[in-house]
Amino acid sequence: AIVCLLNARAEDPANAEVYAALADAYAKQKSVTVAIDNYRKALKLDSTLVQVHYDLGKLLYRERRFNEALLEFRSAARLNPQFPEACFEIGSLCCEGRRYDEGVAQLQRYLQFHPESLKATALLARVLYSIRQPEKALEYGESAARIDSSNVEMNRLLTRIYFETKNHAKAVE
C-alpha cells in the first residue's frame, strides 16, 4: 500500500489526501515519526482536514506529546463543532492536565452527542469527585451505574459519594 501511495504522491505532490493516507499507512506500521511528518505535510497543503487533525492528535497523544495533541484536537473541534470524539479527547486531556473547567465542559459536550457513553460519564464522575463536587459527581456516577450496573469502580465511587453526602442508606445498599 505504501508503495502505491508513494507513487501517487510522486504523480501529485500537492494532494493532501495522499499525504494523509501515507500517514495512516505509516502509523499502522508503527513508523510514528514518518506518520507525523506526513500528517503535517497534509495539513500544510489543506489545513481544513478535520480527520487528519484528529488522527494526528491521537498519534501525538500516544507519543505523550500532550500539548501538541491538544492543539490538533482543538483544531478538529473548531473546524467541525459536530465532532464529538474531538470533544472527548480535549476533555480527557484537559482533565489530565488539571484544566478542569474546560475538561468538564468538553466532556459534557461529548455527552450531548453520546448520552449513554460509559467512558465519558464515568470520567466526569471521577473528575467531579476529585475536584470536590460530590453532588455533581453523584449525578454522573448514578448515570454510569445505570449504563453498567456491574462497573465495580463506579459502584465504589458511588459508595464514597453517598457517605460524603450523608446518604448512608444508599451507601450500604
Side-chain angles (χ1 to χ4, degrees):
I2 290 178
V3 172
C4 291
L5 290 167
L6 289 171
N7 289 335
R9 183 184 69 188
E11 289 177 24
D12 188 3
N15 187 332
E17 296 288 343
V18 172
Y19 284 98
L22 261 172
D24 292 341
Y26 282 121
K28 285 180 183 152
Q29 289 189 344
K30 310 286 188 229
S31 298
V32 175
T33 303
V34 180
I36 289 171
D37 289 344
N38 278 284
Y39 280 133
R40 290 208 163 121
K41 287 175 185 171
L43 291 171
K44 193 172 196 173
L45 292 168
D46 184 352
S47 63
T48 66
L49 297 171
V50 174
Q51 190 65 46
V52 174
H53 281 288
Y54 180 77
D55 292 341
L56 176 56
K58 294 289 279 187
L59 191 56
L60 291 166
Y61 180 85
R62 283 196 302 266
E63 290 297 300
R64 306 186 58 75
R65 294 163 63 175
F66 302 125
N67 289 332
E68 292 173 81
L70 185 58
L71 289 173
E72 295 304 328
F73 293 136
R74 284 181 174 151
S75 292
R78 180 178 33 76
L79 290 166
N80 181 359
Q82 303 299 311
F83 191 23
E85 289 73 17
C87 295
F88 180 83
E89 297 300 339
I90 295 166
S92 179
L93 263 170
C94 285
C95 289
E96 285 178 31
R98 298 176 192 244
R99 291 177 275 210
Y100 297 116
D101 289 343
E102 181 181 3
V104 167
Q106 289 292 331
L107 291 170
Q108 289 170 329
R109 183 166 168 71
Y110 175 83
L111 284 172
Q112 291 173 352
F113 294 97
H114 300 289
E116 296 298 310
S117 169
L118 180 61
K119 69 180 181 178
T121 306
L123 178 56
L124 262 171
R126 287 191 306 272
V127 166
L128 290 166
Y129 180 75
S130 74
I131 60 173
R132 310 258 191 278
Q133 294 183 20
E135 289 80 16
K136 289 181 182 176
L138 180 61
E139 174 189 340
Y140 290 102
E142 287 177 336
S143 181
R146 279 191 299 277
I147 295 167
D148 179 7
S149 61
S150 65
N151 187 314
V152 175
E153 177 191 4
M154 201 48 46
N155 287 323
R156 275 193 204 121
L157 178 62
L158 279 171
T159 300
R160 280 188 237 126
I161 295 170
Y162 289 138
F163 271 115
E164 282 187 27
T165 57
K166 310 288 189 238
N167 192 342
H168 299 283
K170 279 277 217 188
V172 295
E173 277 183 9

